[in-house]
Amino acid sequence: MVRSSGGIRVGAATVAGVLAGTVLVGCGNDGDSAEGEDRSAGKETSSAREQGTEAVRSAYDRTAEQGTARVTLRVRTSADGTSVTANGRGTVDLEAGDSVMTLGAQGERMEQRVVDQVLYQKLPRDQAPGDKPWIKIDLRKVAERQGVGDPSVNDPARAAAFAKAIDDKDVTRKGTAEVGEVNTTHYRVAVDIAELPDGAALRQQLGPTLPMDVWLDDDGRIRRQQIDMTLKAPAQSGAPDRSSSPRTAKIRTVMEFSDFGTDVKAEAPPSRQVTDLTRKALEGSQKQS
């Protein structure tokens, strides 16, 4: 993992908690559209736009109703001229938000679990604190410290809050594409941050709108979800030049869902093998605030 001079982490742990909906990670495509996408949508009528809006609004419930799914994840984080791509693969409980994944970046691999909104990671041996292979962070407590009461705001399986922040002017049909050999319809969405829970805190980090793309199958389920985020680095105490432009990190991730109904076995590791780093995470959040 690398830390940029602006205090923004870049590396495998960037994807920590993605499936639990942590604020600092988004999900998006590595490009503006899927390869081979049909862009023949043309001008939309008001009726077609309303239908697209309703499809996007209902997509989260339709996806969560499937119970579980396999998921693949790609996160690219860029900050201060440094760019790192992390990849993940695993399974997710679409209702509870629990997940089991294997993550890899910069030649390193780690196992990650999210259980009851607690993040567990099995780090490489040379990075594990003490003699315990696992670390844990209570995502709920970190979200509260960051001023975001609900850590599931960005959870693609539980983001009903998005539906309330979307109206007809925010949704555009972009075309059709195959995602995992499944025919999908691609919609681009501009989510009004102010309409989300804890929108004031999110707005400070993300700006007024959140660009989001979703690819929905014929049953209205999410097969791919895209969000691009530009995050402001926290101000550094004692920084010599406070008038300079704030450093930012750009995060792009692609998250794809398949094999709905697959088994998910998300269990917390034995406590004797776990080091609790929640306090350190909270101290870090306090320094950044």
Side-chain angles (χ1 to χ4, degrees):
M1 183 190 303
V2 192
R3 182 185 288 274
S4 75
S5 59
I8 300 174
R9 281 189 187 275
V10 181
T14 301
V15 298
V18 161
L19 295 177
T22 51
V23 176
L24 297 183
V25 182
C27 25
N29 190 9
D30 200 34
D32 289 333
S33 64
E35 183 178 352
E37 183 160 311
D38 177 9
R39 291 180 171 272
S40 60
K43 287 189 175 182
E44 289 185 289
T45 64
S46 59
S47 176
R49 189 175 290 271
E50 289 175 1
Q51 291 177 1
T53 302
E54 181 56 34
V56 173
R57 283 176 171 169
S58 62
Y60 296 97
D61 285 339
R62 290 179 180 269
T63 306
E65 286 171 357
Q66 304 304 305
T68 62
R70 293 192 183 279
V71 61
T72 60
L73 176 68
R74 179 181 173 91
V75 180
R76 186 173 67 191
T77 304
S78 303
D80 291 346
T82 301
S83 181
V84 174
T85 298
N87 296 282
R89 182 182 299 273
T91 56
V92 57
D93 186 319
L94 295 166
E95 294 181 312
D98 293 354
S99 62
V100 179
M101 297 194 71
T102 300
L103 308 174
Q106 297 178 295
E108 298 179 350
R109 300 188 69 80
M110 71 173 72
E111 184 179 347
Q112 174 176 296
R113 305 177 192 176
V114 176
V115 183
D116 294 333
Q117 296 188 24
V118 176
L119 170 71
Y120 299 90
Q121 286 188 333
K122 188 175 184 180
L123 302 177
R125 182 172 298 180
D126 60 346
Q127 298 180 22
D131 296 327
K132 299 179 180 180
W134 291 86
I135 64 168
K136 79 172 185 178
I137 297 174
D138 189 320
L139 298 173
R140 187 184 289 104
K141 291 181 179 179
V142 173
E144 290 173 353
R145 177 63 59 87
Q146 291 177 332
V148 182
D150 182 3
S152 68
V153 167
N154 275 347
D155 187 343
R158 303 165 63 197
F162 280 146
K164 299 178 182 179
I166 297 170
D167 60 30
D168 294 345
K169 66 178 173 46
D170 299 325
V171 179
T172 303
R173 183 181 183 275
K174 301 301 293 182
T176 59
E178 283 195 2
V179 176
E181 300 184 351
V182 174
N183 294 326
T184 67
T185 302
H186 174 195
Y187 295 96
R188 181 156 295 166
V189 185
V191 179
D192 186 351
I193 294 293
E195 296 297 322
L196 293 172
D198 304 297
L202 289 171
R203 189 183 178 98
Q204 291 181 358
Q205 290 181 311
L206 305 177
T209 59
L210 186 66
M212 180 174 72
D213 291 58
V214 291
W215 284 255
L216 309 183
D217 64 19
D218 291 341
D219 293 319
R221 303 171 300 188
I222 299 171
R223 290 292 180 156
R224 174 187 290 148
Q225 175 171 297
Q226 167 180 316
I227 299 174
D228 287 336
M229 288 186 180
T230 300
L231 303 177
K232 296 178 182 178
Q236 293 180 307
S237 59
D241 185 7
R242 293 181 181 276
S243 64
S244 61
S245 301
R247 292 184 173 90
T248 60
K250 293 185 177 181
I251 302 177
R252 311 185 79 181
T253 313
V254 57
M255 185 180 290
E256 295 187 1
F257 299 96
S258 63
D259 295 334
F260 293 112
T262 193
D263 289 338
V264 178
K265 297 180 180 179
E267 299 179 351
S271 59
R272 66 181 181 277
Q273 298 181 13
V274 179
T275 299
D276 191 343
L277 297 186
T278 301
R279 178 176 293 182
K280 284 191 176 182
L282 294 174
E283 291 172 352
S285 297
Q286 188 172 14
K287 291 178 181 178
Q288 294 172 7
S289 60

